[in-house]
Amino acid sequence: MAKTAHRYLEIAPWVVEERGFNEERSEVSESIFALANEFMGVRGSFEEGYSGQTTQGSFFNGIYESGEHIYSTKFKGFADGWTYMVNSVDWLYTRIRLDDELLDLAKISFRDFSRKVDMRTGIVERSFVWDSASGKSIRIKFERMLSMHTSHLGVQQISLEAINFTGVVEIDVGLDFGVTYNLRQSQPWSLLKHEASSTHAASLGRTSSSGHRVFSSLHLKTSRDVETSTFHLDRLVGATVKMELEPNKVETITRIAANHSEKDSDLSDDTVWTSGFLKLKAEKNTTWESALKNQRSYWESVWKQVDVTIEGDDENQQGFRFCIFHLLQTYRGEDPRHNIGAKGLTGEHYWGVTWWDTETYCLPFYLFNNRRAAKNLVTYRHHTLPGAQKRARELHLEGARYPMCTIDGDEICDVWQHGDLEIHVSAAIAYGIWKYVHITGDKEFLRDHGAEILIEVARFYASRGGWGQRTGKFGYWGVMGPDEMHTMVNNNAYTNILAKKSFEWALEVLDELSKEAPEALSAIKAKTKLQEAELSDWKKKAENMDTMLDESSGIFEQHEGFFNMPHIDYLDIPDDQFPVQKKWPYVDLFRFDLIKQPDVLLFFFLFGSEYSEEALEKNLDYYEPRCSHESSLSPAIHSILSARLGRHKKAYEYARYSSRLDLDDYNNNTCEGLHVTSMAGAWMNLVYGFGGMKTDGDILSFCPTLPASWNGFGFKIHVEDDAVLSVKINTETVSFKLEGTGFIKISVFSELYSVTSDGICIPLPNTHRDQTGIQNPVEEGASGAKPKDRTDGLNLARQATYT
Ligand code: BGC
């Protein structure tokens, strides 16, 4: 049961295409062909309906359904309620009939099926020829976009061409709130208001528990005069179009959809309806062509700024681009109340909630590609500070205990081991603020929001920790580290080190503010009621933190007793036991030295400049064989660290899993939605891994390596709002060029350089080229070829399904 590529999509640099309908992978394709624009997202389901395997999904960022968690025994501190991103109005609802035969690809006869997404335009296109039971053939093309230019706008165009007949086809175009929220098997929407005419339709729905409202509407435009009637059935509203077709003449139906969401229960339904209607009116003159023009120009200008190029490896070229494409669709800093769910807006799984993934994995991508988005991500944590403070109090603690999973700030994780014990999440928020300010120098943010969060996080760690009776050191008892396979451990090295850093960041910022902005500091102190005694307390706790470094071996012990745990050899675990997190009871997971994802190794990545290669080598050698990679976040970090040590082959192998995780459905769960936060790991893989970038020192440093099968690669780093550092690596050289005025100091292979728009070119040392001769080995599941044995130190080769 090797971790296998299920390849069925065409390889091309800009387009992902499915040629011929792969029925057995229909839900995987629904995820792959999902579109989003931060405000909303839709899965790539067939708008005309499909009675085969399907999980139709339409989501609005931040719009959720809510309820109370049900526990048979509820202990103090368990999260009270859940808020899960809810499946919402199907605003692409379409049904097509020809001579009373309903278009349903599970039932009709069709040929020449193709669907594709073009990453240069963000358009999903699907076409096929329907050979009807009455002997008529019709070519149908569906195109859709979620506008990146105007977030509330979605556009669908249906093109119909009769091949061998003249006659009428009937098309229903509607808005359907009668959708099923699959995770809870409910139909949460009630219809509050609706109207429909021959040219437009509108409806307003409300969720049953949270009371969130969504307004959805459409203008209907046709290429020729049509006969139209309206319909309203339960929660479905719309119009039926009867369109006359003639052979070899393409007719079109265009839906210009305007959507609007509202969480504020104080606003009346009429107010929400009117706000939505204004958006619809604003799109009166929008056409498919005008929307397409805007969409093209948006993506063209964005790709110019953020593209990555890989020469000689089309699979990874497509894979890395696909990851960036989805990161940009999921989040672009439109609204600081939005954030990034583990599956983005592409599926119900993982409930659309925000995790520590945002700061630890996603923030770097936005910091170096879209600063406004980065700022909004850190600002989100200020909006949700009250929830984190409330959570700390619920747990009898001080300061801010940021939740494991949240949409609006409240902890919703009902697995208490994670929700209560993964206290490293607060440090991830502090890390995000430190990193954001370190890279951008945005001191204003620090004064307005950041310092307050840092104070509250330091307070949390001061109150949650304790002093070891034997060691006399400060640390944390009863915690769970990122590893997640060991719960309720004492002194998890990652947690302790990140808590130590959280104290230090807070102290540094307060010290800096006392010198640079004393008035702002007084205001912050007054707001947070900060006492001088707290500062000395944090200092003492930081200085005496137990870092769990074993001086004799140079290895950080993941937590107390980890080195003494019974060893289990990953390769001895039978294939049918994977993923162990799902197949093994907790008591088995907790009693071996097997880990889920980087824990100690993560701080080697986050603070790379602080550790020597020798220290990294010792720790990587110890922890890598113990890692099961049962989190999709894991391979990228292992690739980056392997690249830093010149372990080219491993770096490359791990990278392929992150770049093509969903395109090749390596985890067998792409059907649930795309692994959006892991996609940010893939970007880091290229930039921090092969690009060898480190960002935690005083200046940006680079130590690039070139994989054997690549002739070269390139990426861009936004160093200021108006200055982009373009980095290109080929088989001989590494070059840097500043697109913008001025200069930037960087370190390359430990030498200092100043880069201007003239650029610099440096020879690539032999040691930084993979000369092992690995030429892009691809094992195919779908093609029937036997997977290559790539165990060679990569536990990934044994994985089947993980999260
Ligand atoms: C990982 C967590 C992560 C979550 C969401 C889990 O499988 O173990 O670290 O936050 O997925 O991506």
Side-chain angles (χ1 to χ4, degrees):
M1 197 200 285
K3 196 162 155 52
T4 303
H6 302 284
R7 176 76 47 85
Y8 72 106
L9 301 164
E10 302 296 313
I11 302 285
W14 284 105
V15 175
V16 177
E17 184 176 4
E18 177 189 7
R19 279 194 208 142
F21 180 39
N22 291 263
E23 202 180 334
E24 70 295 347
R25 306 200 69 74
S26 62
E27 285 170 299
V28 173
S29 293
E30 287 178 351
S31 299
I32 298 285
F33 296 103
L35 289 177
N37 64 3
E38 183 183 320
F39 170 65
M40 57 184 173
V42 285
R43 284 173 60 77
S45 325
F46 299 158
E47 47 260 77
E48 74 276 20
Y50 179 59
S51 60
Q53 204 60 40
T54 178
T55 311
Q56 179 271 337
S58 155
F59 308 104
F60 291 87
N61 208 326
I63 296 298
Y64 55 74
E65 182 55 319
S66 59
E68 290 296 302
H69 282 307
I70 297 168
Y71 301 97
S72 59
T73 308
K74 186 177 176 199
F75 289 98
K76 167 91 181 143
F78 281 17
D80 292 330
W82 53 269
T83 53
Y84 297 164
M85 180 173 80
V86 64
N87 194 9
S88 188
V89 59
D90 178 6
W91 56 267
L92 284 161
Y93 178 96
T94 307
R95 295 292 180 270
I96 301 184
R97 286 173 298 275
L98 183 59
D99 298 336
D100 290 332
E101 187 181 2
L102 181 69
L103 174 60
D104 172 355
L105 292 191
K107 294 187 175 151
I108 59 140
S109 169
F110 64 99
R111 58 193 151 97
D112 298 342
F113 178 97
S114 135
R115 79 172 128 178
K116 56 187 168 198
V117 57
D118 188 331
M119 296 184 272
R120 287 163 301 196
T121 56
I123 309 283
V124 167
E125 179 188 315
R126 178 166 55 96
S127 59
F128 52 88
V129 173
W130 173 13
D131 295 316
S132 79
S134 54
K136 295 175 181 166
S137 294
I138 176 168
R139 192 181 308 280
I140 304 186
K141 182 163 80 175
F142 294 95
E143 290 164 285
R144 60 169 79 163
M145 76 173 81
L146 268 59
S147 170
M148 298 298 275
H149 181 263
T150 313
S151 299
H152 61 250
L153 175 68
V155 188
Q156 174 202 41
Q157 178 159 278
I158 308 171
S159 309
L160 305 155
E161 181 187 353
I163 294 176
N164 59 355
F165 71 99
T166 298
V168 171
V169 64
E170 262 186 28
I171 303 119
D172 296 342
V173 177
L175 305 162
D176 187 11
F177 272 104
V179 291
T180 300
Y181 176 38
N182 297 289
L183 276 190
R184 301 196 79 88
Q185 280 307 309
S186 63
Q187 291 207 333
W189 293 91
S190 51
L191 197 62
L192 302 174
K193 237 168 135 66
H194 64 91
E195 68 177 50
S197 75
S198 58
T199 55
H200 82 275
S203 61
L204 178 66
R206 183 178 55 210
T207 55
S208 57
S209 300
S210 65
H212 290 181
R213 282 165 294 178
V214 165
F215 169 91
S216 190
S217 60
L218 63 92
H219 286 297
L220 190 58
K221 301 187 175 183
T222 51
S223 58
R224 63 183 294 167
D225 286 344
V226 288
E227 194 189 318
T228 314
S229 55
T230 61
F231 60 83
H232 167 217
L233 295 161
D234 189 20
R235 284 161 282 187
L236 169 66
V237 195
T240 301
V241 170
K242 285 189 179 166
M243 187 174 245
E244 178 89 19
L245 299 181
E246 296 158 35
N248 305 322
K249 189 158 183 279
V250 179
E251 302 293 352
T252 59
I253 296 177
T254 308
R255 169 198 311 247
I256 308 293
N259 293 316
H260 173 68
S261 67
E262 184 55 72
K263 286 163 93 161
D264 184 350
S265 54
D266 288 343
L267 296 178
S268 70
D269 292 341
D270 284 344
T271 308
V272 181
W273 176 265
T274 307
S275 305
F277 234 98
L278 284 176
K279 289 185 171 160
L280 180 65
K281 278 191 184 146
E283 302 303 335
K284 199 164 188 319
N285 297 324
T286 300
T287 59
W288 171 260
E289 288 73 23
S290 67
L292 179 61
K293 192 167 162 239
N294 287 336
Q295 189 82 342
R296 268 187 205 288
S297 84
Y298 177 90
W299 278 110
E300 198 181 314
S301 74
V302 167
W303 280 116
K304 261 191 205 144
Q305 303 290 313
V306 306
D307 192 20
V308 299
T309 50
I310 296 171
E311 288 158 39
D313 181 351
D314 288 349
E315 291 170 10
N316 274 308
Q317 173 69 82
Q318 185 186 45
F320 283 117
R321 277 209 182 115
F322 187 68
C323 292
I324 294 175
F325 177 63
H326 276 284
L327 286 167
L328 294 167
Q329 290 201 106
T330 305
Y331 191 78
R332 56 201 176 114
E334 289 274 284
D335 186 335
R337 291 166 306 172
H338 293 161
N339 208 281
I340 305 167
K343 308 270 182 200
L345 298 159
T346 67
E348 293 178 6
H349 279 259
Y350 271 15
W351 321 292
V353 300
T354 297
W355 308 71
W356 69 304
D357 306 25
T358 293
E359 281 74 13
T360 319
Y361 287 85
C362 303
L363 185 63
F365 171 79
Y366 294 101
L367 260 178
F368 293 110
N369 286 297
N370 176 347
R371 286 210 171 168
R372 179 178 73 147
K375 181 165 187 169
N376 279 354
L377 282 179
V378 285
T379 306
Y380 166 87
R381 297 298 188 173
H382 192 256
H383 288 302
T384 54
L385 179 61
Q389 289 167 318
K390 183 171 100 191
R391 184 68 182 146
R393 286 196 297 278
E394 279 166 11
L395 299 169
H396 293 177
L397 295 164
E398 288 163 28
R401 196 306 188 194
Y402 276 93
M404 186 67 194
C405 309
T406 190
I407 292 183
D408 273 352
D410 290 337
E411 177 65 84
I412 59 108
C413 181
D414 58 341
V415 187
W416 73 270
Q417 298 92 314
H418 300 266
D420 289 9
L421 304 183
E422 289 204 50
I423 65 166
H424 61 86
V425 178
S426 285
I429 312 315
Y431 168 75
I433 290 166
W434 168 77
K435 179 140 189 158
Y436 170 75
V437 177
H438 179 65
I439 300 298
T440 62
D442 184 354
K443 299 282 167 72
E444 201 179 308
F445 169 78
L446 212 48
R447 288 195 288 270
D448 293 348
H449 302 311
E452 186 186 353
I453 298 178
L454 291 176
I455 290 169
E456 293 296 302
V457 168
R459 274 182 174 154
F460 165 71
Y461 284 114
S463 66
R464 176 61 165 80
W467 294 93
Q469 293 192 53
R470 189 174 51 79
T471 60
K473 289 186 177 170
F474 195 72
Y476 297 89
W477 278 261
V479 300
M480 188 194 262
D483 157 31
E484 292 187 347
M485 283 194 184
H486 298 89
T487 194
M488 233 356 158
V489 299
N490 298 330
N491 285 314
N492 167 256
Y494 177 86
T495 305
N496 286 16
I497 285 180
L498 268 285
K500 177 177 161 62
K501 294 256 179 211
S502 300
F503 289 137
E504 290 165 353
W505 292 324
L507 290 167
E508 259 170 46
V509 162
L510 292 171
D511 184 49
E512 210 176 285
L513 286 174
S514 73
K515 292 174 193 143
E516 291 173 9
E519 279 177 22
L521 179 61
S522 302
I524 293 166
K525 278 185 168 172
K527 184 172 184 198
T528 57
K529 299 192 175 61
L530 185 68
Q531 304 295 314
E532 283 304 311
E534 291 183 86
L535 308 193
S536 46
D537 181 48
W538 300 347
K539 188 161 180 285
K540 187 169 158 211
K541 287 171 176 167
E543 282 170 359
N544 291 286
M545 184 68 73
D546 195 342
T547 63
M548 297 303 290
L549 174 64
D550 175 47
E551 302 280 354
S552 59
S553 63
I555 300 170
F556 288 84
E557 186 168 17
Q558 187 175 295
H559 55 78
E560 276 178 17
F562 187 84
F563 287 161
N564 194 34
M565 294 192 85
H567 178 62
I568 185 159
D569 195 328
Y570 191 81
L571 298 175
D572 288 343
I573 302 171
D575 280 350
D576 64 4
Q577 299 291 300
F578 292 102
V580 293
Q581 238 208 344
K582 290 201 174 131
K583 301 274 178 75
W584 284 6
Y586 266 142
V587 286
D588 280 347
L589 284 174
F590 299 158
R591 62 195 171 90
F592 297 108
D593 62 349
L594 186 69
I595 62 177
K596 178 178 178 186
Q597 62 199 59
D599 196 294
V600 163
L601 293 180
L602 195 53
F603 57 78
F604 273 86
F605 164 63
L606 298 178
F607 311 109
S609 302
E610 293 177 25
Y611 299 99
S612 66
E613 275 197 10
E614 192 192 349
L616 171 59
E617 192 163 20
K618 284 178 182 166
N619 283 272
L620 186 61
D621 285 347
Y622 182 81
Y623 285 107
E624 188 191 2
R626 289 170 171 78
C627 186
S628 65
H629 306 284
E630 288 202 2
S631 164
S632 59
L633 300 169
S634 185
I637 301 300
H638 282 79
S639 174
I640 294 167
L641 297 179
S642 301
R644 283 186 186 167
L645 292 178
R647 297 178 177 177
H648 304 296
K649 183 182 168 201
K650 277 193 177 174
Y652 181 78
E653 286 294 316
Y654 281 124
R656 287 180 52 238
Y657 291 105
S658 30
S659 93
R660 297 195 58 88
L661 180 73
D662 286 315
L663 284 177
D664 287 342
D665 194 15
Y666 274 113
N667 287 1
N668 292 318
N669 63 0
T670 294
C671 55
E672 295 173 354
L674 301 176
H675 296 77
V676 172
T677 53
S678 301
M679 289 174 157
W683 177 85
M684 291 203 293
N685 213 149
L686 190 73
V687 174
Y688 284 77
F690 299 122
M693 182 169 86
K694 282 186 189 162
T695 56
D696 59 321
D698 291 338
I699 54 174
L700 294 182
S701 73
F702 296 87
C703 230
T705 54
L706 184 68
S709 59
W710 297 4
N711 301 325
F713 67 103
F715 55 87
K716 294 188 173 185
I717 295 293
H718 291 226
V719 288
E720 295 279 348
D721 280 337
D722 57 353
V724 175
L725 183 67
S726 155
V727 186
K728 286 195 177 134
I729 291 99
N730 62 32
T731 50
E732 306 296 327
T733 59
V734 188
S735 54
F736 297 85
K737 193 173 174 182
L738 192 65
E739 294 168 9
T741 53
F743 67 94
I744 176 170
K745 280 196 183 137
I746 57 170
S747 149
V748 187
F749 302 124
S750 305
E751 297 285 333
L752 215 58
Y753 295 90
S754 178
V755 185
T756 65
S757 55
D758 290 340
I760 57 168
C761 191
I762 299 160
L764 183 70
N766 273 345
T767 46
H768 287 251
R769 240 175 287 150
D770 180 1
Q771 292 167 336
T772 55
I774 310 299
Q775 291 296 329
N776 205 17
V778 172
E779 77 289 17
E780 302 303 332
S783 70
K786 210 173 173 334
K788 244 188 176 167
D789 180 8
R790 296 185 296 93
T791 39
D792 199 16
L794 288 182
N795 287 345
L796 286 167
R798 299 290 302 280
Q799 278 305 310
T801 307
Y802 52 12
T803 49

